[in-house]
Each structure stands twice: as structure tokens, then as C-alpha cells.
Amino acid sequence: MEFVSYLGVKYYIWQMEAAFDRDKHIYKSDAFEEIIKDTVRFFNGTPVHKLPPPVKFHGTGVYAIYYTGKSPYYEDLYEQNRLEFHQPIYVGKAVPRGWRQAKDAKLGSITFELYSRLREHGKSVNQAKNLAQEDFSCRFMILEDSANHLIGTVEAALIRYYKPIWNTRIDGFGNHDPGSGRYNQAKSEWDIIHPGRPWADKCVGQSSTIDKVEEKAAEYFALIKRINNAK
Amino acid sequence: MEFVSYLGVKYYIWQMEAAFDRDKHIYKSDAFEEIIKDTVRFFNGTPVHKLPPPVKFHGTGVYAIYYTGKSPYYEDLYEQNRLEFHQPIYVGKAVPRGWRQAKDAKLGSITFELYSRLREHGKSVNQAKNLAQEDFSCRFMILEDSANHLIGTVEAALIRYYKPIWNTRIDGFGNHDPGSGRYNQAKSEWDIIHPGRPWADKCVGQSSTIDKVEEKAAEYFALIKRINNAK
């Protein structure tokens, strides 16, 4: 119990800890499940373009990258995408600048995060010595205004559903140049099996070997096959 | 144009890049806006407990931390929370382990991420020399099963709405011990004005000064006042 004085009046406050009841804290929403399914359906119906798309466009959202080339690492992907863009090699998101800290977000300002991210990915595959940029395509979904809040959700749902190899087994495709003074970090698995990004060669930290990364890729496709056979 | 052979039949594929139309990529959902509002309303109606809550509970979700003490840094917060838990000092989330990479998530396993995070925060404020743990309370919302996907969204919505000072102006409260070999990083702003976490003192990187951080805190409350007066 405590007395507080407010605008000249004394209030009497009963500060007792509420009895703990976990159920009172659980939020349930069937409507939300429907929205997730709807976004994924919408996503899978968006037009596919080359990586990057031919026109610079503004906005933030979610994208998938498809590989239809013949790299021996991704033979199974080639099979899966033979007749339609079905299995992405990578799924990612582009959120509004400053979104995470809720800082400096200028409402209504036009920014190009999604396009920039796709262009950056195009540059990465172009720099990789054993990949060809023309073998990559992309699909993307623009989420703006309050639908901004769906970006992380949709990205997570797509990753969980498709388990793209560059998201779930071979890390590092989405990395940025760490910048001077930070090259003591390890070269990523992606940069080990796809050498070519100039900044990745500067990373001198202890990292994996090509044999191990190739093994992870093979294990991934074996796992996906078991999952598909069990369906 | 390209020929592919599949199950002995030759298919003829017309590979033409679709004409670019930004509108075809935009997803809109009024239903989703309603869900966000509903989660925030639900959140604001959950019981408030001391930090950490008195019972260990399982699950993941979103939480807010309230400060009702008399630190001169947060006088305005004391005023705002005089009669109800209104303005949080920090909002955070606890997601399922391995969620980000969609790895190793064992469905149905019972884990204690949300409680652990709150307990860790309790320890941080307890270690701070100029804060007292009993001045902190918390509110939290458990999001499980497919509502897991809402965690990031609800956290972002709460941060945007409340702009808690430890999220938007004074960084570092939610940091973890960087661990041996990584103490070359800078001490966070939070650790500068709230010294006491033993691992923070080991961080030797160039960091801000107490004067600068105090100035940021003062600026924050001046800004919040202008926003509230304009309402």
C-alpha cells in the first residue's frame, strides 16, 4: 500500500502483485493464420523476373530467389524447378530503414530497399566464379504502410515452408562487406563454395572447408528428398 | 525459348521476362491492421507482475518493462506511470530458439524463453548501481503455435507506439555478455549511465560519455513532451 499525491488530492494505491495465471497472457488468433496463408498464396502468384528486376522500383517487402542453372551442387534444385519456379534457393526481406529501432522513419518518404537488396544479390552471384547471374530469377511482394509489419512474418513463413538451402544450410549469401577493421571474421560457408566476392577474400577468421560445405549441401538435398517422399 | 526433355517428352518453354508492373506485387490487408490493434489491446490488458514474474512459465512472446522508481533520469516516466502502468521503459521479444534460421525447432518441446529473458533483465537492473530491482514491473503476452509469427510484429508495433527510451534512445539494455575474445567492443550507452553489469566493464572499445548519454535522455523526454502536447 502506498499514498501518492496528485493534483493536490491524496490517492491510496493498493500495490499487490496479481496472482500468476499463465492463461491470462496467451493470445490466440485464427484470423492471423488465415492472413499468413493468404500472403503466401499471393506471393506465389506474383510475376517472376530476372535478378535483379528490369525496373528500379520503390518499397519494402519479401522476395525469393530461384536458381535454374546446372551447378552440380544444386542438381536437385534444377529438377524441382524444371517446369515452374517452385523451390527457391534463398528467401529474404527488405525492411524500412530504421525499422528495428523505430528511429528516423520518415513516413511517406520513397525508398528503394527491396530493389537495392535484389540488385546486391545479383552482384553477389555475378561475382561468384562458379555461378552465372542469368541463371537466377526472383519473385517479390511489396508490403507497405501497416502491411510493413507483415514483412518478418511472411519471410519466416516462406523460410519454414521452403527451407531454402542458402537460408537453412549454407550460411552467408545475405552477408554484407563487414568493412575495414572487421575482416578478422570468418569467411562464410557461402563464400567458401562460391568464391569471388572481393570482400569475402579479406575475411581471415577461422572458417569451414569446401569439403565440409559440399557435404552440408549434399545432406540438405538428401533430407529434402526424405521429406518429399514422406508427403 | 528453350526445349526441355521431361519423362521422355519434349517440352517447349517460352522464357520471356514478364513486363514489369509494380502494382502486381503489392499486398494489401485491412484484416491484418485489425489484428495488430487487437494484439496491442490484448497486451495492454494482461496482468502486470514484478520483474521477473513470481512463477517460472514456458513460452515465447512479447513483454514490456515498466519503471516506477525515482531515478532523476526518468522523472518524467515516474509522472506518466503514477496511476497506471502506461509508458514502458523497454519493450522486447523472446522468439523460439532457432526460429530465425528455421533450424532445429522441435515442435511441441517446452521451452522458457520469455521467462528467461525477463529474469535476465531483472538481473541487469539488479546489477546496475543506480537502479533498484523492486522499482521494475513487467507485462507480457505469450504467442505460441502459429501466433509465433506475430511476435516480431507485435514487438515492432509496441515500440513504434510507445517509443520506450531504452529501445529508441539509450541502447544496450538488452545486450548479452559478448564473451571472452569479444570484449574489444564498446560499452553500451545503457551501461555507461547504469554501471554495474560485470561483463560491461570488460568492454574496452571506444564508447560514449556519461554526459552525452544524459543529454540523450533529456532530449528524449523533451521530444515525448512535444509529441504529447501536439496530440
Side-chain angles (χ1 to χ4, degrees), chain A residues 5-6 17-18 22 25-27 33 38 42 49-50 54 58 82 99 140 142 144 146 149 153 160, chain B residues 5-6 17-18 22 25-27 33 38 42 49-50 58 82 99 140 142 144 146 149-150 153 160:
Chain A
S5 178
Y6 186 62
E17 174 130 26
R22 185 177 182 274
H25 299 265
I26 303 172
Y27 181 80
E33 279 201 54
D38 192 53
F42 179 91
H49 288 279
K50 284 294 181 188
H58 63 277
R82 192 178 264 280
W99 183 248
F140 60 92
I142 298 169
E144 42 195 14
S146 81
H149 287 282
T153 304
R160 300 211 140 235
Chain B
S5 178
Y6 187 62
E17 175 131 22
R22 185 177 183 275
H25 300 263
I26 303 171
Y27 181 79
E33 278 199 57
D38 191 52
F42 178 90
H49 288 280
K50 285 293 181 188
H58 62 277
R82 191 177 264 281
W99 182 249
F140 59 91
I142 298 170
E144 39 194 18
S146 81
H149 286 283
L150 274 168
T153 304
R160 303 212 138 235

Side-chain angles (χ1 to χ4, degrees), chain A residues 122-204:
Chain A
K123 197 173 159 194
S124 285
V125 298
N126 184 37
Q127 290 176 332
K129 287 172 187 144
N130 53 5
L131 295 171
Q133 189 169 353
E134 61 265 28
D135 290 333
F136 289 87
S137 305
C138 66
R139 167 171 275 155
F140 60 92
M141 175 171 169
I142 298 169
L143 293 154
E144 42 195 14
D145 305 323
S146 81
N148 264 333
H149 287 282
L150 274 168
I151 293 174
T153 304
V154 176
E155 184 207 26
L158 291 170
I159 291 175
R160 300 211 140 235
Y161 187 71
Y162 290 112
K163 298 181 176 48
I165 185 168
W166 289 354
N167 294 92
T168 62
R169 280 296 178 277
I170 296 175
D171 283 341
F173 173 58
N175 291 0
H176 301 277
D177 184 343
S180 62
R182 296 183 171 201
Y183 291 118
N184 58 340
Q185 55 187 253
K187 189 186 281 192
S188 81
E189 293 175 329
W190 191 86
D191 289 292
I192 289 169
I193 66 164
H194 298 300
R197 293 199 284 203
W199 55 263
D201 285 330
K202 297 185 198 161
C203 292
V204 295

Side-chain angles (χ1 to χ4, degrees), chain B residues 65-79:
Chain B
I65 294 175
Y66 301 91
Y67 176 68
T68 49
K70 293 182 177 176
S71 161
Y73 295 136
Y74 309 119
E75 268 176 13
D76 290 56
L77 221 48
Y78 181 77
E79 289 300 316

